[in-house]
């Protein structure tokens, strides 16, 4: 069996954020070709493929061991009780994606999607694109070029820092992607919450409950990501916290700069939640405790970022993305709402006009004779209805 591909195709694949099922599928797909790559390591290109495969296999084994240990401790899917406020000491205490079983079901593959009789590999087919608007095409191409340039610059910077060690570069790339995704997610949620607050007519107990639930879910999601970034920095995040148990921080300046941006985004995110809770005059002890814990962990991550940059004797890299303030987001949303209003008002006027004219109006009303008795106007003249027998034009034709 031959699998012809450039090693960079594998190296650019994500190694973080995959479910256990996805890791198992990738391993099952390549388990036969992996040993062949191992036996052909004399070739530099094949050696890179084997290095990637070995890393992917190791990640899969680590995730599988964690999953099996958790199942052994708290039970398998279908019989996996969770701890509750009334009974906090029984069942799985992990929330959201922290639980390996829930994390594996983020994308559920339990449905029957069919399967092939033999091994099949993806085929890339080039299809002629449909005609595209020149302006939209230019914008899309510029965006793609910018993304490609950014990805290449990032990869080159990481390769330089980790001296070409593919395994370390892959982990670093995955961490950067995860930080990007976390910041995108926080920006999306902030915008969504501010927009909802602007268009909401009034606050109710039900709306408050929904908001608090959304805050709780968002913080748990952020906590899961933050623990991964903290662990990546060498911080000891399991068991009782002990600074002496921390490992050396091997991250590159690029990762450190991105981590600082992540911290800044997170602090603004916490402020957004805290301000809204103050507006609602709510006293949710659990939420406040979660925010406090995350702030503490975030402060420690920030301190490690600064200390490592100092050790590397380098300045913090230039900011990659802009951090929008609450007032900026509000202004953008208000502009969007104001731009939509005239369109909605025009549609409303058109609907009212249609209703006032009683359906079909003008010439069609004259033809159809609606609004009068029977069918009148032109049709009455033609058919002669409304008079005795067949009259008018039809009478003349009939003789």
């Amino acid at each position: 069996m031959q699998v012809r591909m450039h090693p960079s195709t594998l190296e650019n694949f994500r190694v973080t954020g995959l479910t256990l099922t996805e890791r198992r599928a990738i391993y099952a797909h390549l388990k036969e070709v992996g040993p062949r790559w191992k036996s052909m390591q004399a070739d530099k290109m094949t050696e890179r493929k084997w290095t990637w495969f070995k890393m992917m296999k190791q990640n899969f084994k680590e995730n599988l061991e964690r999953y099996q240990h958790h199942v052994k401790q708290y039970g398998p899917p279908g019989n996996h009780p969770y701890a509750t406020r009334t009974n906090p000491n029984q069942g799985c205490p992990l929330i959201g994606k922290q639980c390996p079983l829930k994390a594996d079901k983020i994308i559920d593959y339990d449905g029957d999607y069919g399967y092939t009789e033999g091994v099949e590999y993806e085929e890339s087919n080039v299809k002629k694109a449909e005609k595209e608007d020149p302006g939209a095409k230019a914008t899309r191409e510029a965006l793609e070029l910018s993304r490609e340039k950014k990805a290449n610059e990032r990869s080159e910077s990481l390769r330089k820092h980790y001296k070409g060690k593919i395994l370390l570069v892959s982990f670093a790339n995955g961490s950067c992607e995860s930080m990007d995704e976390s910041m995108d997610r926080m920006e999306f949620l902030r915008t969504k919450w501010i927009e909802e607050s602007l268009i909401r007519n009034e606050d109710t107990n039900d709306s408050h409950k929904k908001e608090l639930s959304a805050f709780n879910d968002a913080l748990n999601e952020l906590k899961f990501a933050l623990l991964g970034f903290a662990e990546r920095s060498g911080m000891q995040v399991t068991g009782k916290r002990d600074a002496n148990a921390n490992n050396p921080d091997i991250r590159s300046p690029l990762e450190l700069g991105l981590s600082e941006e992540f911290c800044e985004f997170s602090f603004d995110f916490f402020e957004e939640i805290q301000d809204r809770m103050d507006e609602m005059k709510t006293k949710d002890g659990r939420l406040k405790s979660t925010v406090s814990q995350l702030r503490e962990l975030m402060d420690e991550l920030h301190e490690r970022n600064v200390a490592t940059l100092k050790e590397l004797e380098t300045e913090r890299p230039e900011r990659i993305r802009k951090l929008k303030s609450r007032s900026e987001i509000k202004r953008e949303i208000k502009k969007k709402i104001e731009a939509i209003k005239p369109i909605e008002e025009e549609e409303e006027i058109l609907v009212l006009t249609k209703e006032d004219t009683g359906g079909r109006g003008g010439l069609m009303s004259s033809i159809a004779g609606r609004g009068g008795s029977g069918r009148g106007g032109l049709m009455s003249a033609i058919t002669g209805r409304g008079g005795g027998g067949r009259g008018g034009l039809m009478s003349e034709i009939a003789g």
Side-chain angles (χ1 to χ4, degrees), residues 1-19:
M1 177 176 59
Q2 292 184 352
V3 182
R4 294 181 180 179
M5 64 173 73
H6 194 275
S8 64
T9 304
L10 294 171
E11 291 164 1
N12 288 331
F13 284 155
R14 289 188 56 184
V15 292
T16 60
L18 298 175
T19 67

Tab-separated table of all heavy atoms in Angstrom, residues 1-19:
chain	number	residue	atom	x	y	z
A	1	MET	N	0.847	-1.190	0.000
A	1	MET	CA	0.000	0.000	0.000
A	1	MET	C	0.887	1.246	0.000
A	1	MET	O	1.838	1.343	0.753
A	1	MET	CB	-0.888	0.004	1.247
A	1	MET	CG	-1.760	1.243	1.374
A	1	MET	SD	-2.861	1.144	2.809
A	1	MET	CE	-1.684	0.963	4.132
A	2	GLN	N	0.556	2.197	-0.854
A	2	GLN	CA	1.315	3.433	-0.926
A	2	GLN	C	0.406	4.609	-0.596
A	2	GLN	O	-0.732	4.668	-1.035
A	2	GLN	CB	1.892	3.623	-2.326
A	2	GLN	CG	2.980	2.605	-2.668
A	2	GLN	CD	3.580	2.895	-4.025
A	2	GLN	OE1	3.101	3.737	-4.755
A	2	GLN	NE2	4.640	2.182	-4.351
A	3	VAL	N	0.909	5.526	0.199
A	3	VAL	CA	0.199	6.759	0.506
A	3	VAL	C	1.130	7.900	0.148
A	3	VAL	O	2.052	8.218	0.890
A	3	VAL	CB	-0.202	6.840	1.994
A	3	VAL	CG1	-0.974	8.131	2.246
A	3	VAL	CG2	-1.044	5.641	2.387
A	4	ARG	N	0.924	8.477	-1.019
A	4	ARG	CA	1.805	9.527	-1.499
A	4	ARG	C	1.293	10.884	-1.038
A	4	ARG	O	0.207	11.299	-1.444
A	4	ARG	CB	1.906	9.478	-3.015
A	4	ARG	CG	2.580	8.209	-3.517
A	4	ARG	CD	2.674	8.206	-5.023
A	4	ARG	NE	3.307	6.994	-5.519
A	4	ARG	CZ	3.494	6.729	-6.810
A	4	ARG	NH1	3.085	7.591	-7.725
A	4	ARG	NH2	4.076	5.609	-7.181
A	5	MET	N	2.052	11.526	-0.218
A	5	MET	CA	1.712	12.872	0.241
A	5	MET	C	2.972	13.520	0.789
A	5	MET	O	3.891	12.836	1.253
A	5	MET	CB	0.631	12.836	1.320
A	5	MET	CG	1.040	12.141	2.602
A	5	MET	SD	-0.206	12.295	3.907
A	5	MET	CE	-1.454	11.182	3.303
A	6	HIS	N	2.999	14.826	0.704
A	6	HIS	CA	4.138	15.559	1.250
A	6	HIS	C	4.002	15.586	2.770
A	6	HIS	O	2.887	15.710	3.297
A	6	HIS	CB	4.148	16.993	0.703
A	6	HIS	CG	5.434	17.701	0.940
A	6	HIS	ND1	5.704	18.371	2.121
A	6	HIS	CD2	6.544	17.836	0.162
A	6	HIS	CE1	6.920	18.898	2.057
A	6	HIS	NE2	7.451	18.593	0.885
A	7	PRO	N	5.087	15.459	3.537
A	7	PRO	CA	4.979	15.439	5.003
A	7	PRO	C	4.332	16.697	5.581
A	7	PRO	O	3.711	16.653	6.641
A	7	PRO	CB	6.429	15.296	5.479
A	7	PRO	CG	7.287	15.598	4.294
A	7	PRO	CD	6.475	15.233	3.096
A	8	SER	N	4.452	17.817	4.870
A	8	SER	CA	3.852	19.057	5.377
A	8	SER	C	2.328	18.950	5.448
A	8	SER	O	1.689	19.627	6.249
A	8	SER	CB	4.249	20.249	4.506
A	8	SER	OG	3.737	20.088	3.192
A	9	THR	N	1.741	18.087	4.610
A	9	THR	CA	0.286	17.873	4.655
A	9	THR	C	-0.121	17.326	6.018
A	9	THR	O	-1.120	17.750	6.605
A	9	THR	CB	-0.150	16.881	3.550
A	9	THR	OG1	0.288	17.378	2.282
A	9	THR	CG2	-1.665	16.716	3.532
A	10	LEU	N	0.670	16.389	6.529
A	10	LEU	CA	0.403	15.825	7.858
A	10	LEU	C	0.746	16.828	8.960
A	10	LEU	O	-0.009	17.008	9.912
A	10	LEU	CB	1.228	14.548	8.060
A	10	LEU	CG	0.884	13.350	7.175
A	10	LEU	CD1	1.928	12.253	7.347
A	10	LEU	CD2	-0.494	12.805	7.514
A	11	GLU	N	1.874	17.500	8.812
A	11	GLU	CA	2.341	18.419	9.855
A	11	GLU	C	1.392	19.594	10.062
A	11	GLU	O	1.333	20.164	11.148
A	11	GLU	CB	3.735	18.935	9.488
A	11	GLU	CG	4.805	17.860	9.565
A	11	GLU	CD	6.092	18.246	8.843
A	11	GLU	OE1	6.161	19.367	8.293
A	11	GLU	OE2	7.020	17.424	8.819
A	12	ASN	N	0.650	19.949	9.013
A	12	ASN	CA	-0.290	21.067	9.131
A	12	ASN	C	-1.637	20.649	9.708
A	12	ASN	O	-2.494	21.500	9.950
A	12	ASN	CB	-0.507	21.731	7.767
A	12	ASN	CG	0.708	22.528	7.323
A	12	ASN	OD1	1.456	23.040	8.144
A	12	ASN	ND2	0.914	22.617	6.016
A	13	PHE	N	-1.849	19.351	9.887
A	13	PHE	CA	-3.084	18.895	10.520
A	13	PHE	C	-3.071	19.274	11.998
A	13	PHE	O	-2.028	19.293	12.640
A	13	PHE	CB	-3.234	17.369	10.414
A	13	PHE	CG	-3.648	16.884	9.054
A	13	PHE	CD1	-3.351	15.598	8.641
A	13	PHE	CD2	-4.339	17.718	8.190
A	13	PHE	CE1	-3.727	15.145	7.390
A	13	PHE	CE2	-4.723	17.269	6.938
A	13	PHE	CZ	-4.412	15.987	6.530
A	14	ARG	N	-4.256	19.541	12.532
A	14	ARG	CA	-4.353	19.867	13.959
A	14	ARG	C	-4.092	18.638	14.808
A	14	ARG	O	-4.461	17.521	14.445
A	14	ARG	CB	-5.751	20.393	14.271
A	14	ARG	CG	-6.034	21.760	13.721
A	14	ARG	CD	-7.342	22.276	14.246
A	14	ARG	NE	-7.350	22.283	15.692
A	14	ARG	CZ	-8.406	22.619	16.415
A	14	ARG	NH1	-9.517	22.954	15.828
A	14	ARG	NH2	-8.348	22.623	17.724
A	15	VAL	N	-3.465	18.859	15.955
A	15	VAL	CA	-3.241	17.756	16.894
A	15	VAL	C	-3.975	18.022	18.207
A	15	VAL	O	-3.979	17.201	19.104
A	15	VAL	CB	-1.736	17.538	17.178
A	15	VAL	CG1	-1.033	17.014	15.950
A	15	VAL	CG2	-1.093	18.824	17.666
A	16	THR	N	-4.588	19.215	18.334
A	16	THR	CA	-5.353	19.528	19.539
A	16	THR	C	-6.819	19.721	19.162
A	16	THR	O	-7.152	19.973	18.003
A	16	THR	CB	-4.845	20.830	20.193
A	16	THR	OG1	-4.989	21.909	19.250
A	16	THR	CG2	-3.398	20.710	20.603
A	17	GLY	N	-7.681	19.604	20.162
A	17	GLY	CA	-9.103	19.853	19.940
A	17	GLY	C	-9.844	18.710	19.276
A	17	GLY	O	-11.013	18.856	18.901
A	18	LEU	N	-9.189	17.545	19.097
A	18	LEU	CA	-9.853	16.396	18.496
A	18	LEU	C	-10.524	15.558	19.582
A	18	LEU	O	-10.035	15.477	20.705
A	18	LEU	CB	-8.843	15.521	17.745
A	18	LEU	CG	-8.099	16.169	16.566
A	18	LEU	CD1	-7.057	15.197	16.028
A	18	LEU	CD2	-9.058	16.559	15.471
A	19	THR	N	-11.627	14.931	19.233
A	19	THR	CA	-12.273	14.017	20.180
A	19	THR	C	-11.532	12.679	20.146
A	19	THR	O	-10.778	12.391	19.211
A	19	THR	CB	-13.750	13.792	19.825
A	19	THR	OG1	-13.830	13.080	18.568
A	19	THR	CG2	-14.498	15.114	19.697
